[in-house]
Amino acid sequence: MSEARLYTTRLQAGLGLVDETLALLELYRSGMSVRELYAAALNSGRFPTMTARRLLNLVQEGFAPRYMEDPEVAAILKRLAEYWQRDELIQLFMLYTARANCILADFIREVFWPRYMAGFDELSRDDATAFVEAAVREGRTQKPWAPSTVRRVASYLLGTCTDFGLLGNCRLPPRPIRPVRIHPRVATYLAYNLRGLGFADRQIIHHPDWGLFGLEGDDVRQQLKRLAPEGHFIVQSAGDVTQITWGYRTMGEAVNALAGH
């Protein structure tokens, strides 16, 4: 197993970071380094209750791994934040947070959605703890985690899912399940994003990122067919073979269209 796919405790840097991400995107300028963004945030007065050390950790361990590993991501999200609704942006934040934190991605796909599909209406701390304990036993962490770390990470998972709207915001677990439906513009964005990452049409349809929204291959195919009349692409399928005719040559063109220009 590659070290890049090992589970970490990095979610402790801020869970979903929804409001903080929106504020940092406003401050972000193309080409900024992590240190430059931190300095801009520190001098902005936007984080008055946060210590300098906590703010640095938020930028370095929370924001940057999600949105600055690929320098285009923060710039794209900054652009879309001017036009998209908060709920749409939150779904993109969840996507990139899950990509940067595979423990969250697996928890959503392997615990949250199966629980919902099985008819459960809440998710408990025991559910999250059992998932983390199993991961430690299976060697998904660089070294075994202490029971206190397991409990903390389980809490991070529930808190992050709450920040992204998957769970209700109650004071103590269990938390009510609130399954989200992927927004149309988010589905279009994800399809073009996966294409830009080099995936073929069939790989796009079956990519695990869709599982963050409870979608499997057939669901994705039908979702994209429903979106086709909007003109972003044409979807043709026969059996398990799907061909997508893309309306835009580049991700930049797609973002322009999704931003309303």
Side-chain angles (χ1 to χ4, degrees), residues 10 13-14 17 56-67 100-101:
R10 187 175 266 173
L17 291 176
L56 178 60
N57 185 61
L58 185 151
V59 175
Q60 280 188 330
E61 300 296 321
F63 185 89
R66 304 177 192 188
Y67 311 114
N101 298 273

Side-chain angles (χ1 to χ4, degrees), residues 238-254:
D240 195 41
V241 178
T242 300
Q243 181 177 354
I244 304 174
T245 302
W246 301 92
Y248 312 111
R249 293 171 299 170
T250 66
M251 188 65 192
E253 291 181 4

Side-chain angles (χ1 to χ4, degrees), residues 217-230:
D218 287 342
D219 306 314
V220 176
R221 191 179 294 108
Q222 294 306 314
Q223 175 81 37
L224 297 184
K225 282 184 176 180
R226 287 194 295 270
L227 294 175
E230 296 184 8

